[in-house]
Amino acid sequence: MNYNDLIALRDRKAPGITAADGGFRIVVGLATCGMAAGANPVMAAFKEYSAGMDNVRVERTGCIGICQYEPIVEVYEAGKPKVTYIKMTAERAQRVVEEHIKGGQPVVEFMLTENGRAVYSLDDTSFMKKQVRIALRNCGVIDPENLDHYIARDGYQALHKVLTEMTPDEVIDEVLKSGLRGRGGAGFPTGLKWRFASDNRGKVKKYVCCNADEGDPGAFMDRSLLEGDPGAIIEAMTIAAYAIGADEGYIYVRAEYPTAISRLQIAIDQAKEYGLLGQNIMGTGFNFELSLRFGAGAFVCGEETSLMTSIEGKRGEPRPRPPFPATKGLFEKPTILNNVETYANIPQIILRGADWFASYGTEKSKGTKVFALGGKINNTGLIEVPMGMPLREIIYDIGGGIPDGKELKAVQTGGPSGGCIPAKLIDTPVDFDSLAAIGCIIGSGGMIVIDEDNCMVDIARFFLDFTVDESCGKCTPCRIGMKRTLEILDKIIDGKATEKDLQRLEELSDFVKTASLCGLGQTAPNPVLSTLNFFRDEYEAHIKERRCPAHVCKKLVQFIIDPEKCTGCTKCARKCPTSAISGKVREPHVIDQSKCIKCGVCMDNCAFGAISKN
């Protein structure tokens, strides 16, 4: 495909992204979140009920964003604002077709509501108003399995620009000028990484790799990008290859992402068919071959040298650095590796310019950041906000605050490698340097909200348990040090620790952080160190008072029956799985603590509020 063909196709297909000419375009969110909620039957229902209507087109799309309301459907009508429907079912789909498509009256009861009124479009909700979508610009808009849709949104225009108007060094300079830093966690300047790998173009075999091995608990940013806009990643990697002089690349994606894998392969095949990937791209003589490689779920393969070792067909273990991948990476050749979100920004930086991208964010953290917002929050989902937005705005303006009137306790960022930001620091700007200053990291973009019912010692143990399981075992500080750290946390949670254990916990965490070989071990203690820093009183309560303030740690919890409230109905005794409750009918009951397994069934079944945790 030459440039004129690309422009003609873009101009011809662009109107179809909003609505069928003179009619309707119905898009169904068919990312993993939507399909898990039942979007496939909804898609089938819309196709069935609109069959024979020439002015209606029913299409798939990726993650629309506010995942808790899946399945989500958006209706585009020519000349009118789109309408967003939530929690759709096959039965609701029939009503939308009959009342909205045929009758011209949107079904208000199926829409989002805010402040007691229906909001027609997701774009008009508080969830969306403060977002700026650059990486996510096509997610929820295009059909990710239709290359024409991507082209209609200026897809491959950036690639044509660099191949015909820019030298490789000019491409790197533009990326450097934009201030884009790696979105995989480390925040290293993307253009600088490309510069290091750019020497000896045409003389040395080079590779371009994409890290799509997203393994953080609660993270789904990269998966959603791959499922919603695979073309942007392919185009960006081709631009990167041109910039450093590579002709071959790999996307390393976890095998647990079947939808992302399928859509990536479709996008690769279509790009080759159109002459946008492979040999003699756009007739310019530039060649770039791209292949997929599947990870088997090893968290350590998210570390760049482990990932490359895995692509080579070996056990995924880290290598000492230096040498760095930019000089000796995949197959011992110069290699650049960026994550999915980093690449997703590249086409827009090239098309709109570095200054445009740098106008968002802060002085040292340019652009936007995608987060997977989850945990104890009203609006869970995928968001993209300018770097430097205060955490308060993310949690309360976009996230809608904490459910059930609970108090915010902390926000965990960065996955198992991250830290916990306490509620008292809720006005902290969310950017690389501001979070680093308080001992936390942005990481790849997981953001888990924690409320007053969570125990911070238990939170630290949860993440450390994950990294202990995921350690490759190559280096002693990580393999042994984290195991010993986890054992201390277990002692604290079981009420068996001493103050000396708390000191050992801190010293051991510092040692593992300093001495481990790769990024997994070096950052694994972060959840422990950050909770020790901000929530030391909870650790001390577990140790000195043998008490869990949040009433979470089972061995430190007692269920107590208040004799003043107990009516002797016997329901708790009948439900108790260990017969730990005794008492006569119509007389207060008691719990034998030696038999109690802390399951909480008694409290859940008490109709009189007589049972409490202590």
Side-chain angles (χ1 to χ4, degrees), residues 267-543:
I268 288 172
D269 293 342
Q270 290 179 346
K272 288 182 177 180
E273 180 185 346
Y274 278 45
L276 301 171
L277 185 65
Q279 301 298 303
N280 193 25
I281 295 172
M282 295 187 187
T284 63
F286 176 66
N287 307 321
F288 181 59
E289 298 291 345
L290 186 60
S291 304
L292 302 182
R293 289 294 183 270
F294 307 138
F299 182 68
V300 72
C301 286
E303 191 274 336
E304 61 179 3
T305 61
S306 299
L307 183 151
M308 293 176 194
T309 304
S310 181
I311 290 177
E312 293 169 356
K314 304 169 188 175
R315 177 185 174 90
E317 291 182 335
R319 305 167 183 167
R321 296 178 300 177
F324 291 95
T327 54
K328 191 176 181 181
L330 185 62
F331 302 115
E332 300 189 348
K333 302 298 182 183
T335 305
I336 58 170
L337 173 71
N338 294 112
N339 88 319
V340 172
E341 184 186 344
T342 308
Y343 281 124
N345 286 289
I346 295 297
Q348 292 303 301
I349 289 173
I350 297 298
L351 276 181
R352 300 193 182 198
D355 291 338
W356 167 81
F357 183 82
S359 68
Y360 296 102
T362 67
E363 182 180 353
K364 295 182 179 180
S365 299
K366 303 295 187 183
T368 59
K369 182 71 189 78
V370 178
F371 292 101
L373 187 59
K376 305 290 186 67
I377 189 83
N378 280 313
N379 297 333
T380 60
L382 193 68
I383 67 170
E384 183 174 1
V385 298
M387 284 280 197
M389 178 177 283
L391 188 60
R392 181 187 298 275
E393 290 186 29
I394 295 175
I395 301 303
Y396 288 99
D397 294 348
I398 296 174
I402 317 303
D404 304 321
K406 299 286 186 177
E407 289 292 324
L408 173 71
K409 178 180 278 190
V411 179
Q412 203 278 340
T413 64
S417 303
C420 295
I421 306 169
K424 66 182 180 181
L425 297 180
I426 194 172
D427 291 309
T428 300
V430 179
D431 59 66
F432 292 111
D433 300 305
S434 297
L435 293 196
I438 60 173
C440 298
I441 63 172
I442 286 180
S444 60
M447 183 175 284
I448 300 174
V449 181
I450 299 166
D451 74 5
E452 60 189 83
D453 293 335
N454 291 110
C455 168
M456 300 310 298
V457 184
D458 181 63
I459 292 289
R461 190 206 176 279
F462 169 82
F463 285 108
L464 196 68
D465 183 56
F466 176 86
T467 46
V468 166
D469 282 344
E470 295 295 338
S471 171
C472 74
K474 184 173 183 177
C475 73
T476 302
C478 178
R479 182 182 71 250
I480 304 299
M482 287 203 299
K483 183 67 175 175
R484 298 290 87 84
T485 305
L486 182 63
E487 289 172 356
I488 296 173
L489 285 174
D490 283 334
K491 285 181 68 177
I492 295 172
I493 284 172
D494 290 347
K496 299 177 181 177
T498 65
E499 291 185 55
K500 188 175 181 180
D501 287 313
L502 193 60
Q503 181 181 348
R504 288 181 60 231
L505 177 67
E506 200 158 14
E507 292 172 350
L508 191 53
S509 296
D510 283 330
F511 172 74
V512 172
K513 188 178 181 73
T514 303
S516 292
L517 175 62
C518 81
L520 185 148
Q522 292 164 8
T523 58
N526 283 350
V528 177
L529 291 170
S530 67
T531 51
L532 274 170
N533 183 27
F534 294 121
F535 301 95
R536 197 177 193 90
D537 58 323
E538 290 200 26
Y539 282 87
E540 292 176 345
H542 283 70
I543 294 170

Side-chain angles (χ1 to χ4, degrees), residues 73-276:
V73 172
E74 295 196 306
V75 177
Y76 294 82
E77 182 178 359
K80 295 183 180 180
K82 70 178 179 182
V83 175
T84 304
Y85 293 114
I86 63 171
K87 297 184 178 180
M88 292 300 295
T89 63
E91 293 75 17
R92 289 185 168 193
Q94 184 176 16
R95 281 193 57 190
V96 170
V97 171
E98 292 297 325
E99 297 178 26
H100 185 174
I101 307 302
K102 294 180 180 179
Q105 294 296 321
V107 188
V108 175
E109 64 188 274
F110 299 159
M111 298 176 185
L112 278 163
T113 58
E114 281 193 353
N115 301 318
R117 66 177 185 85
V119 182
Y120 275 51
S121 172
L122 179 62
D123 295 342
D124 297 325
T125 64
S126 58
F127 178 79
M128 287 296 296
K129 283 181 178 178
K130 290 194 173 183
Q131 292 193 47
V132 175
R133 294 201 158 201
I134 299 175
L136 295 177
R137 66 184 296 270
N138 289 328
C139 291
V141 178
I142 67 171
D143 178 352
E145 297 185 20
N146 187 337
L147 180 57
D148 292 351
H149 279 206
Y150 180 61
I151 291 174
R153 296 271 291 177
D154 292 328
Y156 289 100
Q157 298 293 315
L159 177 59
H160 181 270
K161 180 178 179 180
V162 304
L163 292 181
T164 60
E165 301 177 21
M166 301 174 73
T167 66
D169 285 326
E170 286 173 339
V171 175
I172 294 174
D173 288 342
E174 194 72 6
V175 175
L176 272 169
K177 185 180 177 184
S178 74
L180 176 66
R181 295 170 62 175
R183 299 309 198 235
F188 190 81
T190 303
L192 195 57
K193 181 182 288 189
W194 292 15
R195 175 69 71 204
F196 291 154
S198 66
D199 291 340
N200 298 314
R201 294 188 188 99
K203 300 177 182 179
V204 179
K205 175 74 173 179
K206 297 179 183 180
Y207 294 95
V208 171
C209 292
C210 175
N211 183 353
D213 190 56
E214 185 175 53
D216 291 2
F220 50 90
M221 304 79 56
D222 291 350
R223 186 200 73 211
S224 298
L225 275 163
L226 294 174
E227 292 176 350
D229 192 14
I233 312 307
I234 296 167
E235 182 180 10
M237 292 183 70
T238 310
I239 291 170
Y242 172 76
I244 72 165
D247 62 3
E248 189 174 354
Y250 295 92
I251 301 176
Y252 188 86
V253 57
R254 56 195 305 111
E256 298 95 331
Y257 283 179
T259 303
I261 289 170
S262 173
R263 291 178 182 171
L264 273 171
Q265 191 60 60
I266 290 170
I268 288 172
D269 293 342
Q270 290 179 346
K272 288 182 177 180
E273 180 185 346
Y274 278 45
L276 301 171

